[in-house]
Amino acid sequence: MFDTAVLLSAAFVAGALNAVAGGGSFLTLPALVYAGVPPVAANATGTVALLPGYIAGAWGFREDTAPPPGLSMRLIVALSLVGGAAGAALLLLTPDATFRRVVPWLLLAATALFAFGPQLRARLAGTGAPSRTRAVVGVLAVAGYGGYFNGGLGILLLALFGLLGQTQLNAMNGLKNWVSALLTAIAVAIYAAGGLVHWPEALMMMVAATLGGYGGARVARRIPAQWLRAGIVATGLTMAALFFARG
């Protein structure tokens, strides 16, 4: 009974966190490991559980969602699906020890990129807008990361969209949730085919994550942008520090 309460609580807060800042997998991963699920399977199972939350979060930001300059929604959909599939396939081949080592570094890099995104954009302003090729490669790479490990995906997507010229944080958050939902959907199919998903835990957590995702998105639309940005950076640094400690 206590394990069930832990999993439901982690999924609800993770759904809200993913709708706003990303990083919900940091909550679902340790909760599932605590409940006895092996780490790589816990990552896959937690990702499955958060899929409805991404969809709910995207719907919550539906009035604001817009792609960055130079990219269409159709292209973003295609890149999300291809990258998510590649990352999920890579996870199937990754040993637990390797998985533990790379995660904190990925989180730290994503947080730093988001934190210093405005300064980077200012420095790049004189060089012109990012080329379409670089934008495509960037979205594809981040989608691959998301298919491999969901933790910090939202922070990395926000950083990428900022560097690509998107300036409205709510628009970035809406697109972040749509991309996360798309790449997670294809990754879930691959995780399931590979036998990584613990379905009883995943299905139970889906309900809580969905409620948290929609609620988090609606609340975030009323939070001042500077507060939201500070909260996202703090979330990323906390996740990275705790994963380093766990390693």
Side-chain angles (χ1 to χ4, degrees), residues 42-119:
N43 179 54
T45 302
T47 301
V48 173
L50 292 173
L51 175 57
Y54 285 134
I55 297 172
W59 182 250
F61 278 111
R62 62 191 179 277
E63 298 97 336
D64 306 297
T65 302
L71 293 179
S72 67
M73 287 299 298
R74 182 173 298 181
L75 179 58
I76 288 175
V77 168
L79 294 173
S80 300
L81 294 174
V82 172
L90 181 60
L91 181 66
L92 296 180
L93 304 174
T94 303
D96 279 333
T98 302
F99 179 75
R100 290 191 189 98
R101 284 196 299 268
V102 301
V103 164
W105 293 104
L106 292 171
L107 291 176
L108 191 61
T111 304
L113 187 59
F114 179 77
F116 297 105
Q119 292 89 331

Side-chain angles (χ1 to χ4, degrees), residues 4 18 26 48 53 65 68 109 122 125 132 137 142 145 172 177 209 218 231 239:
T4 299
N18 277 347
F26 176 73
V48 173
T65 302
R132 185 179 176 85
V137 171
V142 175
Y145 167 90
M172 293 161 67
N177 281 293
R218 302 311 289 179
M239 286 190 298

Side-chain angles (χ1 to χ4, degrees), residues 86-208:
L90 181 60
L91 181 66
L92 296 180
L93 304 174
T94 303
D96 279 333
T98 302
F99 179 75
R100 290 191 189 98
R101 284 196 299 268
V102 301
V103 164
W105 293 104
L106 292 171
L107 291 176
L108 191 61
T111 304
L113 187 59
F114 179 77
F116 297 105
Q119 292 89 331
L120 289 172
R121 285 198 303 273
R123 292 198 171 198
L124 291 172
T127 65
S131 70
R132 185 179 176 85
T133 299
R134 281 184 288 174
V136 166
V137 171
V139 174
L140 192 62
V142 175
Y145 167 90
Y148 178 77
F149 176 64
N150 213 256
L153 171 63
I155 293 172
L156 195 55
L157 283 169
L158 289 173
L160 175 65
F161 296 149
L163 290 175
L164 294 179
Q166 177 59 271
T167 58
Q168 298 298 319
L169 196 55
N170 283 338
M172 293 161 67
N173 258 320
L175 185 60
K176 174 204 71 179
N177 281 293
W178 280 119
V179 170
S180 297
L182 289 166
L183 68 88
T184 299
I186 191 67
V188 162
I190 294 173
Y191 295 157
L196 288 181
V197 180
H198 288 225
W199 286 107
E201 291 87 348
L203 294 172
M204 175 178 60
M205 296 170 76
M206 279 183 175
V207 177

